[in-house]
Amino acid sequence: LNYLLSEEEKTATVTSSNYEGILAIPETIEVGVEHYTVTEIADNALWFKDKLLSVSLPKSIKTIGARAFYYCSGLTSIKIGDGLERIGEEAFQYCSSLNQIYINDLKQWCMIDFASASSNPLSCAHHLYLDKKEIKELVIPEGIEAIKQYSFYGGANITVLVMNSGVKVI
């Protein structure tokens, strides 16, 4: 993986890679004696990587840039860390083999800002897993007042939706 480092903030952004197979992006990297927290995947960082099979994102990743995984036709699954806040335009466009999205926190998933329908990996995958169990009956957790646009776009296997009384905006 190649990174852009911010000396001031001690953060790292994934900028590119020639990685193939199973990719686990680290939460931190060490450069010399310095440690940097990996917080972002840049625009176009991993696009057209057809031999990338699965990706695991740490909780430190806050942003996935536009077209970050664009045309990763071999990508079958992605595990998303609990810290993700925003996914850019077309981030998962043309990920034709993607069929499994794994999350650990449904409340956090509901709060992600998806820039478009194709920003949501669920638009390709159709299968969302919470704690390794596929969500077919979606129960919106207490404390969620707004469900962000495109949060469940493409979730074809979600057959039941139960919302708590606190949901005010969809």
Side-chain angles (χ1 to χ4, degrees), residues 17-37:
S17 173
N18 288 325
Y19 206 87
E20 297 179 358
I22 299 169
L23 172 61
I25 295 176
E27 189 164 339
T28 61
I29 60 168
E30 187 176 329
V31 179
V33 296
E34 299 292 337
H35 289 83
Y36 297 84
T37 303

mmCIF file of all heavy atoms in Angstrom, residues 17-37:
data_model
loop_
_atom_site.group_PDB
_atom_site.id
_atom_site.type_symbol
_atom_site.label_atom_id
_atom_site.label_comp_id
_atom_site.label_asym_id
_atom_site.label_seq_id
_atom_site.Cartn_x
_atom_site.Cartn_y
_atom_site.Cartn_z
ATOM 1 N N SER A 17 -2.246 1.069 -4.638
ATOM 2 C CA SER A 17 -1.741 -0.247 -4.288
ATOM 3 C C SER A 17 -1.740 -1.133 -5.521
ATOM 4 O O SER A 17 -2.550 -0.957 -6.423
ATOM 5 C CB SER A 17 -2.627 -0.885 -3.222
ATOM 6 O OG SER A 17 -2.243 -2.217 -2.985
ATOM 7 N N ASN A 18 -0.862 -2.102 -5.536
ATOM 8 C CA ASN A 18 -0.885 -3.159 -6.537
ATOM 9 C C ASN A 18 -1.269 -4.473 -5.876
ATOM 10 O O ASN A 18 -0.982 -5.543 -6.389
ATOM 11 C CB ASN A 18 0.485 -3.286 -7.218
ATOM 12 C CG ASN A 18 0.743 -2.122 -8.139
ATOM 13 O OD1 ASN A 18 -0.180 -1.615 -8.775
ATOM 14 N ND2 ASN A 18 1.978 -1.682 -8.202
ATOM 15 N N TYR A 19 -1.919 -4.377 -4.739
ATOM 16 C CA TYR A 19 -2.257 -5.534 -3.925
ATOM 17 C C TYR A 19 -3.217 -6.466 -4.656
ATOM 18 O O TYR A 19 -4.119 -6.026 -5.366
ATOM 19 C CB TYR A 19 -2.891 -5.059 -2.613
ATOM 20 C CG TYR A 19 -2.712 -6.034 -1.491
ATOM 21 C CD1 TYR A 19 -1.580 -6.003 -0.700
ATOM 22 C CD2 TYR A 19 -3.653 -7.019 -1.258
ATOM 23 C CE1 TYR A 19 -1.394 -6.925 0.319
ATOM 24 C CE2 TYR A 19 -3.483 -7.935 -0.244
ATOM 25 C CZ TYR A 19 -2.352 -7.888 0.539
ATOM 26 O OH TYR A 19 -2.163 -8.796 1.536
ATOM 27 N N GLU A 20 -3.050 -7.760 -4.438
ATOM 28 C CA GLU A 20 -3.946 -8.783 -4.970
ATOM 29 C C GLU A 20 -4.372 -9.686 -3.822
ATOM 30 O O GLU A 20 -3.654 -9.829 -2.840
ATOM 31 C CB GLU A 20 -3.227 -9.619 -6.034
ATOM 32 C CG GLU A 20 -2.806 -8.825 -7.240
ATOM 33 C CD GLU A 20 -2.067 -9.669 -8.276
ATOM 34 O OE1 GLU A 20 -1.847 -10.876 -8.040
ATOM 35 O OE2 GLU A 20 -1.709 -9.106 -9.314
ATOM 36 N N GLY A 21 -5.535 -10.275 -3.950
ATOM 37 C CA GLY A 21 -6.000 -11.222 -2.938
ATOM 38 C C GLY A 21 -6.756 -10.560 -1.806
ATOM 39 O O GLY A 21 -7.593 -9.694 -2.021
ATOM 40 N N ILE A 22 -6.438 -10.955 -0.581
ATOM 41 C CA ILE A 22 -7.141 -10.495 0.617
ATOM 42 C C ILE A 22 -6.348 -9.344 1.229
ATOM 43 O O ILE A 22 -5.192 -9.511 1.584
ATOM 44 C CB ILE A 22 -7.293 -11.650 1.623
ATOM 45 C CG1 ILE A 22 -8.121 -12.768 0.988
ATOM 46 C CG2 ILE A 22 -7.930 -11.160 2.913
ATOM 47 C CD1 ILE A 22 -8.119 -14.063 1.766
ATOM 48 N N LEU A 23 -6.997 -8.204 1.353
ATOM 49 C CA LEU A 23 -6.338 -6.996 1.853
ATOM 50 C C LEU A 23 -6.937 -6.579 3.191
ATOM 51 O O LEU A 23 -8.139 -6.338 3.282
ATOM 52 C CB LEU A 23 -6.479 -5.854 0.843
ATOM 53 C CG LEU A 23 -6.012 -4.466 1.279
ATOM 54 C CD1 LEU A 23 -4.514 -4.471 1.604
ATOM 55 C CD2 LEU A 23 -6.322 -3.433 0.195
ATOM 56 N N ALA A 24 -6.102 -6.489 4.206
ATOM 57 C CA ALA A 24 -6.508 -5.952 5.509
ATOM 58 C C ALA A 24 -5.738 -4.642 5.693
ATOM 59 O O ALA A 24 -4.528 -4.660 5.927
ATOM 60 C CB ALA A 24 -6.192 -6.928 6.625
ATOM 61 N N ILE A 25 -6.433 -3.542 5.561
ATOM 62 C CA ILE A 25 -5.785 -2.246 5.730
ATOM 63 C C ILE A 25 -5.506 -2.048 7.215
ATOM 64 O O ILE A 25 -6.392 -2.237 8.049
ATOM 65 C CB ILE A 25 -6.666 -1.119 5.156
ATOM 66 C CG1 ILE A 25 -6.779 -1.314 3.633
ATOM 67 C CG2 ILE A 25 -6.100 0.257 5.498
ATOM 68 C CD1 ILE A 25 -7.680 -0.342 2.930
ATOM 69 N N PRO A 26 -4.287 -1.693 7.570
ATOM 70 C CA PRO A 26 -3.945 -1.551 8.990
ATOM 71 C C PRO A 26 -4.541 -0.284 9.604
ATOM 72 O O PRO A 26 -4.801 0.694 8.899
ATOM 73 C CB PRO A 26 -2.421 -1.472 8.973
ATOM 74 C CG PRO A 26 -2.091 -0.888 7.655
ATOM 75 C CD PRO A 26 -3.143 -1.400 6.700
ATOM 76 N N GLU A 27 -4.732 -0.313 10.897
ATOM 77 C CA GLU A 27 -5.229 0.863 11.616
ATOM 78 C C GLU A 27 -4.134 1.914 11.754
ATOM 79 O O GLU A 27 -4.403 3.109 11.694
ATOM 80 C CB GLU A 27 -5.761 0.454 12.988
ATOM 81 C CG GLU A 27 -6.477 1.577 13.688
ATOM 82 C CD GLU A 27 -7.333 1.089 14.845
ATOM 83 O OE1 GLU A 27 -7.711 -0.091 14.893
ATOM 84 O OE2 GLU A 27 -7.630 1.930 15.708
ATOM 85 N N THR A 28 -2.922 1.462 11.947
ATOM 86 C CA THR A 28 -1.787 2.378 12.052
ATOM 87 C C THR A 28 -0.627 1.833 11.227
ATOM 88 O O THR A 28 -0.548 0.630 10.966
ATOM 89 C CB THR A 28 -1.309 2.547 13.511
ATOM 90 O OG1 THR A 28 -0.890 1.280 14.014
ATOM 91 C CG2 THR A 28 -2.385 3.139 14.397
ATOM 92 N N ILE A 29 0.261 2.760 10.825
ATOM 93 C CA ILE A 29 1.499 2.357 10.164
ATOM 94 C C ILE A 29 2.654 3.047 10.872
ATOM 95 O O ILE A 29 2.472 4.085 11.516
ATOM 96 C CB ILE A 29 1.502 2.699 8.658
ATOM 97 C CG1 ILE A 29 1.347 4.211 8.428
ATOM 98 C CG2 ILE A 29 0.441 1.915 7.925
ATOM 99 C CD1 ILE A 29 1.633 4.647 7.008
ATOM 100 N N GLU A 30 3.807 2.458 10.749
ATOM 101 C CA GLU A 30 5.006 3.026 11.356
ATOM 102 C C GLU A 30 5.965 3.420 10.236
ATOM 103 O O GLU A 30 6.269 2.626 9.345
ATOM 104 C CB GLU A 30 5.658 1.987 12.261
ATOM 105 C CG GLU A 30 6.813 2.505 13.067
ATOM 106 C CD GLU A 30 7.361 1.458 14.021
ATOM 107 O OE1 GLU A 30 6.585 0.605 14.500
ATOM 108 O OE2 GLU A 30 8.576 1.496 14.273
ATOM 109 N N VAL A 31 6.398 4.676 10.268
ATOM 110 C CA VAL A 31 7.380 5.183 9.312
ATOM 111 C C VAL A 31 8.521 5.752 10.135
ATOM 112 O O VAL A 31 8.360 6.762 10.810
ATOM 113 C CB VAL A 31 6.772 6.265 8.386
ATOM 114 C CG1 VAL A 31 7.833 6.778 7.420
ATOM 115 C CG2 VAL A 31 5.556 5.727 7.644
ATOM 116 N N GLY A 32 9.649 5.069 10.074
ATOM 117 C CA GLY A 32 10.757 5.453 10.953
ATOM 118 C C GLY A 32 10.344 5.219 12.396
ATOM 119 O O GLY A 32 9.948 4.123 12.768
ATOM 120 N N VAL A 33 10.377 6.270 13.184
ATOM 121 C CA VAL A 33 9.973 6.168 14.594
ATOM 122 C C VAL A 33 8.564 6.715 14.819
ATOM 123 O O VAL A 33 8.047 6.665 15.926
ATOM 124 C CB VAL A 33 10.974 6.910 15.526
ATOM 125 C CG1 VAL A 33 12.331 6.248 15.467
ATOM 126 C CG2 VAL A 33 11.067 8.379 15.183
ATOM 127 N N GLU A 34 7.955 7.231 13.767
ATOM 128 C CA GLU A 34 6.625 7.850 13.868
ATOM 129 C C GLU A 34 5.518 6.837 13.579
ATOM 130 O O GLU A 34 5.680 5.953 12.735
ATOM 131 C CB GLU A 34 6.504 9.023 12.891
ATOM 132 C CG GLU A 34 7.480 10.142 13.130
ATOM 133 C CD GLU A 34 7.230 10.913 14.417
ATOM 134 O OE1 GLU A 34 6.090 10.906 14.924
ATOM 135 O OE2 GLU A 34 8.187 11.507 14.928
ATOM 136 N N HIS A 35 4.384 7.007 14.249
ATOM 137 C CA HIS A 35 3.190 6.203 14.009
ATOM 138 C C HIS A 35 2.110 7.100 13.422
ATOM 139 O O HIS A 35 1.897 8.219 13.906
ATOM 140 C CB HIS A 35 2.689 5.567 15.312
ATOM 141 C CG HIS A 35 3.583 4.486 15.798
ATOM 142 N ND1 HIS A 35 4.717 4.732 16.534
ATOM 143 C CD2 HIS A 35 3.517 3.142 15.640
ATOM 144 C CE1 HIS A 35 5.310 3.591 16.819
ATOM 145 N NE2 HIS A 35 4.605 2.609 16.291
ATOM 146 N N TYR A 36 1.410 6.582 12.404
ATOM 147 C CA TYR A 36 0.353 7.325 11.729
ATOM 148 C C TYR A 36 -0.915 6.480 11.742
ATOM 149 O O TYR A 36 -0.877 5.275 11.487
ATOM 150 C CB TYR A 36 0.738 7.621 10.277
ATOM 151 C CG TYR A 36 1.959 8.499 10.145
ATOM 152 C CD1 TYR A 36 3.241 7.953 10.200
ATOM 153 C CD2 TYR A 36 1.826 9.871 9.970
ATOM 154 C CE1 TYR A 36 4.362 8.757 10.083
ATOM 155 C CE2 TYR A 36 2.955 10.679 9.852
ATOM 156 C CZ TYR A 36 4.211 10.113 9.912
ATOM 157 O OH TYR A 36 5.321 10.914 9.795
ATOM 158 N N THR A 37 -2.038 7.137 12.010
ATOM 159 C CA THR A 37 -3.330 6.466 11.978
ATOM 160 C C THR A 37 -3.881 6.542 10.557
ATOM 161 O O THR A 37 -3.953 7.622 9.976
ATOM 162 C CB THR A 37 -4.321 7.144 12.958
ATOM 163 O OG1 THR A 37 -3.737 7.119 14.270
ATOM 164 C CG2 THR A 37 -5.656 6.417 12.981
#
